[in-house]
């Protein structure tokens, strides 16, 4: 079980990242560039127009998926930071993680023979298809709806529809990992399989946090906007 980092807004951001390096990729998703010196978390967030408490809550969720994630009385800055983070996360998954996995997986598939190669190819394509569909729905339906809602526009859509359609897209990742670790013959690119299986498990963990951020922060926030409409 992961230990949730103990830190405050006055903690130095570099010390947090140095202690928990897996948080490093989150910085760019918030639009935070490197070179922030010894500034505190609050100072770096303020300089980058990022909600400090939203940033801290997202960091915690990447270590402990049981962390209560609801924000009390969220404001416009919280939502702006959240949407920036979610959109940038989509780009990271699609433009960085996918190509990296595909590059290594193609070599393993070509060496695995028809039986395991076809299974790996099937599970990966199923996973990618679902991911692309999931993110496209959010970017073309959910996020524009939130923008329209904030501008006072009327809509028949409700964020509860997103909650009910918020499907689990991680099962195919687990299937791929099982094949790579448990079933593929041991002499087929063992070092490369270890590297890519580790990357897939880290991606799965990232996606779990991503889903909880949407379920426990985004959806309740949008519901509060809906309920506040006259």
């Amino acid at each position: 079980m992961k230990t949730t980092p103990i830190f405050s807004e006055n903690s130095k951001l570099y010390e947090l990242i140095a202690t928990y390096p897996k948080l490093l990729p989150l910085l760019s998703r918030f639009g935070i560039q490197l070179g922030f010196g010894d500034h505190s978390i609050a100072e770096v967030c303020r300089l980058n127009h990022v909600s400090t408490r939203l940033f801290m809550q997202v960091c915690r969720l990447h270590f402990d998926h049981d962390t209560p994630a609801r924000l009390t009385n969220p404001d416009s800055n919280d939502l702006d930071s959240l949407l920036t983070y979610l959109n940038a996360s989509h780009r990271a998954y699609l433009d960085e993680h996918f190509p990296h996995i595909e590059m290594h997986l193609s070599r393993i598939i070509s060496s695995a023979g028809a039986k395991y190669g076809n299974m790996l190819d099937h599970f990966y394509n199923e996973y990618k298809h679902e991911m692309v569909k999931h993110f496209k729905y959010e970017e073309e339906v959910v996020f524009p709806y939130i923008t329209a809602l904030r501008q006072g526009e009327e809509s028949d859509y409700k964020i509860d529809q997103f909650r009910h359609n918020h499907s689990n897209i991680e099962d195919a990742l687990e299937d791929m990992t099982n094949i790579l670790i448990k079933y593929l013959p041991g002499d087929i690119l063992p070092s490369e399989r270890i590297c890519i299986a580790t990357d897939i498990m880290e991606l799965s963990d990232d996606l779990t946090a991503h889903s909880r951020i949407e379920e426990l922060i985004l959806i309740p926030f949008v519901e509060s906007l809906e309920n506040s409409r006259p």
Side-chain angles (χ1 to χ4, degrees), residues 13-80:
L13 180 56
Y14 173 74
E15 292 179 351
L16 176 66
I17 297 300
T19 306
Y20 305 99
K22 287 188 177 181
L23 294 178
L24 185 58
L26 303 189
L27 298 183
S28 62
R29 300 183 191 180
F30 280 103
I32 297 174
Q33 296 183 346
L34 303 183
F36 40 75
D38 286 325
H39 285 302
S40 68
I41 293 172
E43 289 170 337
V44 174
C45 286
R46 184 173 65 253
L47 289 170
N48 289 275
H49 309 290
V50 173
S51 164
T52 301
R53 63 176 181 166
L54 190 280
F55 174 82
M56 293 170 62
Q57 200 72 320
V58 168
C59 287
R60 291 190 179 102
L61 271 170
H62 274 268
F63 275 85
D64 184 357
H65 297 156
D66 294 324
T67 296
R70 295 179 185 272
L71 295 179
T72 305
N73 299 321
D75 58 28
S76 180
N77 189 35
D78 294 321
L79 184 55
D80 288 340

Side-chain angles (χ1 to χ4, degrees), residues 143-206:
F143 297 163
Y145 165 69
I146 294 171
T147 299
L149 182 64
R150 297 174 76 185
Q151 295 172 348
E153 299 178 15
E154 295 294 329
S155 174
D156 292 330
Y157 187 84
K158 293 290 184 293
I159 199 63
D160 195 52
Q161 295 172 238
F162 176 52
R163 174 189 282 117
H164 291 306
N165 290 312
H166 204 216
S167 58
N168 184 350
I169 55 177
E170 300 164 51
D171 291 343
L173 288 179
E174 183 176 354
D175 292 330
M176 289 166 56
T177 306
N178 285 336
I179 294 173
L180 289 168
I181 295 176
K182 295 169 64 176
Y183 302 117
L184 203 59
D187 59 347
I188 298 177
L189 302 177
S191 297
E192 194 157 0
R193 281 162 57 190
I194 291 172
C195 290
I196 198 62
T198 300
D199 290 341
I200 290 172
M201 287 187 284
E202 289 179 354
L203 175 58
S204 179
D205 200 47
D206 194 332

